[in-house]
Amino acid sequence: MNGDVDEVLRAIAEPRRRAILRLVATEELPAGRIAEHFEVTRSAVSQHLQILKDAGLVLERRDGTKRIYRASEDALAQLREVVESLWRESMARARDSVEGHDGLRDEQVAG
């Protein structure tokens, strides 16, 4: 990810940007084809694409006058690592909490 984690999370917090990311996750698409999927102006789609680019989630290449976009596989892999890390930490805290409560209940029953 070229951007920091906060920038990436802010970028994908907006539903249209997540939808754009899904569109370009499996294939390269020109900006016009991406815009066809939304009921907003092409300018608005361009702004969303710029935010995704700035966060490092989307790569752009030129083909003549067209701009072609695709998701950055590296950035998506790094994002996945961040989310999985958060998930592992959350599950570990939940496990510790449950085990801690079970210990209290066992002590209360014994006492």
Side-chain angles (χ1 to χ4, degrees):
M1 276 181 292
N2 291 342
D4 65 32
V5 174
D6 289 337
E7 183 178 11
V8 168
L9 294 176
R10 277 191 300 274
I12 64 172
E14 207 286 332
R16 268 192 204 103
R17 289 194 285 268
R18 288 194 307 272
I20 290 170
L21 200 52
R22 280 189 211 94
L23 286 172
V24 297
T26 56
E27 65 179 315
E28 288 187 322
L29 290 173
R33 291 253 329 267
I34 294 168
E36 291 172 0
H37 289 85
F38 303 95
E39 294 183 16
V40 296
T41 65
R42 284 182 181 230
S43 177
V45 170
S46 290
Q47 289 174 356
H48 287 305
L49 285 164
Q50 187 62 50
I51 291 168
L52 291 168
K53 276 179 36 185
D54 290 346
L57 291 165
V58 170
L59 304 173
E60 174 190 276
R61 73 176 175 84
R62 293 198 179 236
D63 182 15
T65 59
K66 289 183 180 179
R67 292 179 184 202
I68 311 295
Y69 296 90
R70 67 180 168 90
S72 167
E73 292 177 20
D74 291 341
L76 291 180
Q78 291 173 7
L79 178 59
R80 181 178 179 175
E81 288 175 26
V82 167
V83 171
E84 286 178 351
S85 172
L86 293 170
W87 181 257
R88 282 191 303 274
E89 290 171 16
S90 176
M91 289 294 102
R93 273 190 249 112
R95 183 190 65 238
D96 292 346
S97 178
V98 168
E99 289 173 357
H101 289 298
D102 285 345
L104 286 175
R105 276 188 251 132
D106 292 342
E107 291 173 14
Q108 290 171 346
V109 171

